[in-house]
Amino acid sequence: MEKLAYFDSSHEMPLEIIMAAGFTPYKILGDVHQSNDPADKYLSSFFCPAARSWLTEALTHAKEWAGIVFAQGCNSTNRHYDIWKVHVQTPFLHWFGVPLLDSAAAKKHYRVELQRLISHIEDHFHIKITSEKISEAIGKSNEIKKKLQRLSAFRYQKDIPNRDYLTAMIKCLTCPVDEISAWLDSEIKAWNAKPAFPSGKKRFLLTGSDITYVEWMDTLDDCGIRIVRDDLSIGERFFATLIPNKNDPLESLLEYYMNIPKPATRPTIQKRLDYLYKALGETKVDGVLSQNVKFCEPFAYDSVPVNNALKDKGYKVIHLERDFSPAADQQLANRLAAFVEMMEEGNNE
Ligand code: SF4
């Protein structure tokens, strides 16, 4: 099945429309191991390095995809669309204008945008995206979300390296849905059979910019940190809630995408905090790790009020800014190791 790629700085893209059109939704995630030189011809180096890496991937691989949908995400990257329009060679490029708010007017706008996306895909590829096909895609999406909910719960009880969780998430966002569904079944069995949670590790909730490469997750393991909860888009935000079952599948999508846990790119901070409080209420953690990749302004700005609110509730919170690089960052590792050590000293007092 051909891939229809999408640019999505959080979880805004209604994958079910792509699935209903008969394509594999492929989230463009870039490659931290490749130089960003191709994108840096068009974007200054003070722009988000993750988004520059996505442009690099598109400049190199767009010809392998049926097309690209660009979902309106964060204000730091929305206007990158103008650069993609001019420089990325693709037979199909669509701007999906996701509203920022969830008011009645925003819902109306969202519905228009869904219909505009459907019509554009239908006209360009000469296909029909029926309500039945969208409903079927919603069913498949929910199946994946339920399996991810089961899989992710093992993080608390079992010895699951941080990289294994991120690898599973990336696979779910880039591979054919039917293939993923069968693979998740085998992973659930495999994770269930793993040894118990290692006694020397601390349980953390991870929040902030999306992590797109496994090496950074390894650094956390090296510092004695296991991520057992998160609110990332390449993470729990993707599977925290199921798509409701309504007579009109567009209404189901509308309700789902407007009510998923909020990232820093969407108002309000309180709504983002609501999910964090819920996760922290459900799962006892030793600490909260908040981070943003360099030049990610949405999560950097949000981190101050969000982290202060969590600290006020008594949670132990550390905030870090990280480079976009697979190389181990020793300074960052030292800070994390010192934070974990302080926790242990606090527990022994
Ligand atoms: S990492 Fe931050 S700046 Fe970059 S695309 Fe995501 S939200 Fe936007």
Side-chain angles (χ1 to χ4, degrees):
M1 198 182 282
E2 235 186 324
K3 289 175 181 169
L4 188 60
Y6 62 99
F7 176 111
D8 188 354
S9 58
S10 50
H11 176 36
E12 312 291 351
M13 180 63 218
L15 310 179
E16 296 70 26
I17 302 294
I18 296 181
M19 288 155 67
F23 295 106
T24 292
Y26 173 81
K27 182 162 182 157
I28 302 168
L29 290 171
D31 181 354
V32 74
H33 305 97
Q34 298 293 321
S35 152
N36 264 344
D37 285 352
D40 291 353
K41 276 198 249 164
Y42 311 112
L43 286 168
S44 296
S45 54
F46 55 74
F47 279 118
C48 161
R52 285 189 282 127
S53 178
W54 304 341
L55 176 57
T56 296
E57 182 177 352
L59 288 167
T60 321
H61 293 285
K63 53 187 152 332
E64 297 157 26
W65 309 327
I68 301 170
V69 182
F70 205 100
Q72 177 176 13
C74 77
N75 285 340
S76 306
T77 58
N78 282 342
R79 293 316 334 147
H80 290 197
Y81 179 67
D82 297 329
I83 291 162
W84 286 56
K85 259 195 309 197
V86 177
H87 298 290
V88 175
Q89 303 292 316
T90 175
F92 176 86
L93 183 64
H94 181 90
W95 168 263
F96 182 64
V98 189
L100 281 177
L101 304 175
D102 49 16
S103 60
K107 283 181 183 153
K108 212 167 146 191
H109 173 79
Y110 191 85
R111 202 178 168 92
V112 170
E113 280 299 299
L114 280 174
Q115 267 154 350
R116 207 173 59 82
L117 172 65
I118 292 170
S119 301
H120 193 182
I121 293 177
E122 284 181 336
D123 291 348
H124 182 87
F125 295 103
H126 309 294
I127 52 166
K128 191 83 197 131
I129 301 177
T130 60
S131 294
E132 291 70 34
K133 283 183 184 164
I134 301 173
S135 297
E136 194 188 322
I138 288 174
K140 286 186 178 181
S141 260
N142 278 341
E143 194 181 300
I144 300 291
K145 290 180 199 302
K146 281 187 210 157
K147 289 180 185 181
L148 278 171
Q149 287 170 358
R150 286 182 62 199
L151 191 74
S152 72
F154 287 122
R155 291 180 295 174
Y156 188 86
Q157 302 157 341
K158 301 283 186 177
D159 185 6
I160 313 292
N162 294 315
R163 80 153 44 211
D164 289 8
Y165 173 65
L166 182 58
T167 302
M169 283 310 311
I170 290 175
K171 202 170 163 76
C172 290
L173 292 165
T174 52
C175 296
V177 177
D178 295 330
E179 193 183 295
I180 295 163
S181 188
W183 179 79
L184 281 173
D185 287 335
S186 65
E187 283 301 280
I188 288 169
K189 274 194 201 132
W191 288 24
N192 191 23
K194 294 249 180 168
F197 190 91
S199 57
K201 302 260 184 195
K202 297 278 180 215
R203 291 180 172 93
F204 268 69
L205 178 145
L206 177 64
T207 184
S209 312
D210 271 312
I211 313 293
T212 50
Y213 49 97
V214 292
E215 288 84 351
W216 202 76
M217 297 302 255
D218 291 341
T219 302
L220 304 187
D221 255 314
D222 294 344
C223 298
I225 289 174
R226 274 289 163 82
I227 302 304
V228 297
R229 294 299 302 258
D230 67 87
D231 73 338
L232 307 189
S233 295
I234 308 175
E236 288 188 31
R237 187 173 299 120
F238 180 75
F239 58 80
T241 50
L242 299 182
I243 305 171
N245 185 9
K246 298 190 166 262
N247 287 340
D248 175 1
L250 291 194
E251 204 53 36
S252 302
L253 292 179
L254 200 152
E255 194 170 313
Y256 171 75
Y257 283 99
M258 292 225 145
N259 290 303
I260 51 176
K262 301 288 176 196
T265 53
R266 289 284 182 272
T268 62
I269 284 180
Q270 186 55 48
K271 285 184 182 159
R272 184 169 162 217
L273 276 170
D274 287 345
Y275 187 73
L276 289 170
Y277 291 150
K278 181 174 171 287
L280 291 165
E282 289 166 351
T283 309
K284 192 171 168 358
V285 297
D286 298 296
V288 174
L289 170 51
S290 160
Q291 50 69 46
N292 63 270
V293 68
K294 219 171 243 178
F295 306 116
C296 172
E297 288 167 10
F299 280 100
Y301 285 147
D302 240 28
S303 66
V304 178
V306 167
N307 293 346
N308 284 344
L310 295 176
K311 283 180 196 165
D312 286 348
K313 295 248 180 211
Y315 294 107
K316 292 179 177 138
V317 183
I318 183 170
H319 183 82
L320 305 165
E321 184 169 83
R322 64 181 164 89
D323 285 322
F324 183 75
S325 163
D329 179 339
Q330 202 47 52
Q331 273 189 14
L332 182 145
N334 288 346
R335 278 193 62 198
L336 279 174
F339 187 70
V340 169
E341 208 176 297
M342 262 168 41
M343 277 176 160
E344 272 161 6
E345 281 166 11
N347 289 345
N348 294 335
E349 276 168 11

